[in-house]
Amino acid sequence: MIALIILLSLVLLCVLICLVKLDFSAVYSENLTLKLKVLFLKFTLLPREDKKDKKKKPKKDKAKKKKTDDEKKDDDSYVKKLSDKKGVEGIVSMLVDLSKLAASTLKSLVSHTVINKFDIKLTVVGEDAADTALKYGKICSVFYPAVTIVCETAKCKDYSLDVTPDFSDEAKACVSADLRFHIRAFYVLKYGLKALVKLVIIRYKR
């Protein structure tokens, strides 16, 4: 009976964790600030705070360097084995599989993401008026469709995109962005595990 209660408690805890909402806020002006809020807990993901008054320990650094070298050898040996087995075609094939995996996983995550605020402003400046107009056209032709795809794939509640050319002599190019979005932890775990399984399959089928 006690074991059943513990099991049910663990299942309930897992369900509650999966239902937790991960709130992200990304603000860019001169630097990127990325924050995460989970329930009442807040974390600053970017920029990372540098640890001050950190004493250097040569022995540990040496050990760490040795470990890094060993890991590098392992990675090199894996790439070498892959190269010896299937040559350049094998490596290219692996990279294609990885890119497809990243794209599908990212698309799945975005489709379950709710965008509460999407506000981006760009000021386009070139070397002269003609160059400014040319850059403005190129940016609009790429940026607007890309943002539209993201907002249509996700559940976007508030959307604002402003790209403006500045032809004045003292103009400066600038970018500002304010994004607020959230996703359930369940989807992060679900697609994260699926991507991990596929990654293992990709590695060991070579």
Side-chain angles (χ1 to χ4, degrees):
M1 187 65 182
I2 296 175
L4 181 60
I5 292 173
I6 294 174
L7 180 61
L8 290 173
S9 299
L10 289 174
V11 171
L12 180 61
L13 180 62
C14 290
V15 171
L16 290 175
I17 291 174
C18 289
L19 292 176
V20 167
K21 189 169 64 173
L22 306 178
D23 286 293
F24 293 89
S25 64
V27 178
Y28 181 86
S29 180
E30 294 181 356
N31 296 307
L32 175 63
T33 301
L34 180 61
K35 295 183 179 180
L36 168 63
K37 181 182 178 183
V38 184
L39 297 176
F40 56 88
L41 301 175
K42 295 181 180 180
F43 306 93
T44 300
L45 305 178
L46 290 173
R48 293 183 179 180
E49 295 181 359
D50 297 330
K51 294 182 179 179
K52 297 180 180 180
D53 302 328
K54 187 176 179 181
K55 296 181 180 179
K56 295 182 179 179
K57 296 182 180 180
K59 291 184 179 180
K60 285 189 176 181
D61 291 342
K62 188 176 181 181
K64 186 177 180 181
K65 185 178 179 182
K66 186 177 180 181
K67 185 179 179 181
T68 304
D69 292 340
D70 292 338
E71 290 175 352
K72 188 175 179 182
K73 287 180 181 178
D74 292 339
D75 293 338
D76 290 344
S77 63
Y78 169 67
V79 174
K80 188 175 184 302
K81 287 178 182 178
L82 183 64
S83 181
D84 292 340
K85 187 178 179 181
K86 292 190 176 182
V88 177
E89 291 182 359
I91 295 176
V92 172
S93 178
M94 181 187 68
L95 292 175
V96 170
D97 288 340
L98 290 175
S99 63
K100 288 180 179 178
L101 173 60
S104 62
T105 302
L106 184 60
K107 185 177 180 180
S108 299
L109 286 173
V110 171
S111 65
H112 293 285
T113 300
V114 177
I115 301 176
N116 303 102
K117 186 175 183 180
F118 194 109
D119 186 4
I120 298 180
K121 294 180 181 179
L122 294 130
T123 301
V124 182
V125 177
E127 296 179 358
D128 50 36
D131 188 43
T132 299
L134 186 62
K135 286 183 177 179
Y136 173 72
K138 286 182 178 179
I139 290 174
C140 288
S141 64
V142 175
F143 207 63
Y144 277 101
V147 172
T148 301
I149 290 172
V150 171
C151 290
E152 287 181 351
T153 304
K155 301 167 185 176
C156 188
K157 294 183 178 180
D158 186 11
Y159 164 67
S160 175
L161 179 61
D162 183 19
V163 181
T164 307
D166 193 334
F167 298 99
S168 61
D169 295 334
E170 298 179 355
K172 291 183 180 179
C174 62
V175 180
S176 64
D178 187 359
L179 283 72
R180 318 274 171 165
F181 56 95
H182 69 263
I183 185 172
R184 298 287 178 184
F186 168 76
Y187 297 113
V188 176
L189 293 172
K190 177 183 176 181
Y191 295 111
L193 288 173
K194 285 180 69 175
L196 182 61
V197 171
K198 289 181 180 179
L199 186 62
V200 171
I201 293 172
I202 289 173
R203 173 161 182 170
Y204 285 99
K205 78 176 180 181
R206 299 295 172 188

